[in-house]
Amino acid sequence: MAKRVSIVLAACNGEKYISAQIASILQQLGENDELIVTLDPSTDQTESIVTGFHDPRIRLLQGPGRGVIGNVENGLATASGDYILLADQDDIWLPGKLSKVLTALEQDGVLLVLHDCRIVDENLNVLKPSYFSWHGTKKGFWNNVIRNSFIGCCMGFRRSLLERVLPFPSQLPMHDQWLGLVACASGKVSYLEEPLLDYRRHGDNQSSLHHAGLKQMIAWRVCVIRALKKRGLL
């Protein structure tokens, strides 16, 4: 029996780009897969755009209105797939993304896959051809405690990871770093050097490429380490 895939897309006021993103995802899904759009309270036409696809694979959820992290958790809590991928409302999946991530996830012992992406502007002009190179992405648990390289929209993972990451700890600074570190502490993480996504940056993204101040970064990492210890992963 074929494995089922769940895509979790956290949205909020995403009318400008979400249609193109959903279209790029649906092209790659099988008939039994699902795209969960968890929509935080919005003041634009995002909801009507999503429902306008009239695709039975799309499941629209009411978001909790607690920001991106709470919205992602809301979607993950209802995901039924054997494999789960996260998606942002602004990006574009490149052809073959899903099949390449699934192939990597099917390797023995692989719990989570992280792939490269291209950083693009609002018109999809390439600003950086490789996020991995631009960011200086490093493998390993402690490298990613010190400087996070995990981006949610570039990750796919096995369902078994959900049992370890949910519910999210309170005061969690970043859901993608939490998912990545739990995976590092629990199993094998596979890195795909090929860019499989156009990571659109336009000034109004819900996520940021910029770092917080040093004091805040230290406080966040203390929070994450404590949460990992509480889950018995350190």
Side-chain angles (χ1 to χ4, degrees):
M1 186 174 178
K3 300 289 188 180
R4 190 170 195 233
V5 177
S6 293
I7 313 300
V8 174
L9 193 163
C12 181
N13 289 324
E15 66 179 6
K16 192 170 183 180
Y17 304 111
I18 197 169
S19 179
Q21 168 67 313
I22 289 176
S24 75
I25 292 171
L26 291 177
Q27 291 173 7
Q28 301 187 38
L29 295 187
E31 62 179 12
N32 293 318
D33 298 334
E34 64 177 357
L35 170 58
I36 301 167
V37 179
T38 173
L39 179 60
D40 264 350
S42 298
T43 57
D44 66 0
Q45 299 301 310
T46 302
E47 182 171 355
S48 62
I49 291 170
V50 174
T51 56
F53 274 89
H54 303 293
D55 191 308
R57 296 172 296 178
I58 298 176
R59 190 150 56 86
L60 182 63
L61 304 181
Q62 201 73 26
R66 300 195 312 267
V68 178
I69 297 173
N71 206 13
V72 170
E73 182 179 24
N74 186 57
L76 289 177
T78 71
S80 61
D82 303 288
Y83 298 125
I84 299 163
L85 285 78
L86 299 181
D88 289 349
Q89 65 187 9
D90 321 279
D91 303 332
I92 296 288
W93 281 24
L94 297 178
K97 167 181 157 79
L98 181 59
S99 63
K100 291 171 182 177
V101 169
L102 294 182
T103 297
L105 280 171
E106 288 166 357
Q107 303 304 307
D108 286 344
V110 173
L111 185 57
L112 181 144
V113 171
L114 178 71
H115 66 74
D116 202 357
C117 64
R118 304 186 302 197
I119 303 174
V120 302
D121 67 13
E122 61 182 4
N123 297 313
L124 302 180
N125 297 307
V126 177
L127 303 176
K128 301 290 181 182
S130 167
Y131 176 87
F132 280 8
S133 296
W134 175 80
H135 179 75
T137 293
K138 293 183 178 180
K139 301 177 182 180
F141 178 86
W142 288 109
N143 282 329
N144 283 283
V145 169
I146 295 168
R147 188 165 188 258
N148 179 52
S149 293
F150 291 103
I151 312 176
C153 60
C154 294
M155 291 162 41
F157 48 90
R158 292 177 180 265
R159 179 170 190 81
S160 57
L161 185 63
L162 286 185
E163 301 168 5
R164 299 177 173 92
V165 299
L166 294 179
F168 285 169
S170 60
Q171 300 180 325
L172 190 68
M174 292 175 283
H175 63 274
D176 38 17
Q177 184 184 31
W178 170 248
L179 287 161
L181 290 178
V182 172
C184 286
S186 305
K188 182 180 178 182
V189 174
S190 176
Y191 290 76
L192 302 182
E193 302 292 334
E194 181 182 357
L196 300 177
L197 176 85
D198 277 344
Y199 187 48
R200 195 191 317 244
R201 315 312 293 169
H202 51 77
D204 294 319
N205 301 83
Q206 295 187 71
S207 59
S208 174
L209 287 174
H210 302 293
H211 295 291
L214 180 61
K215 185 176 180 180
Q216 181 64 74
M217 289 173 67
I218 292 172
W220 281 345
R221 277 145 185 79
V222 169
C223 172
V224 170
I225 288 170
R226 285 176 175 168
L228 288 164
K229 286 183 176 178
K230 192 171 182 180
R231 300 283 170 98
L233 296 170
L234 272 182

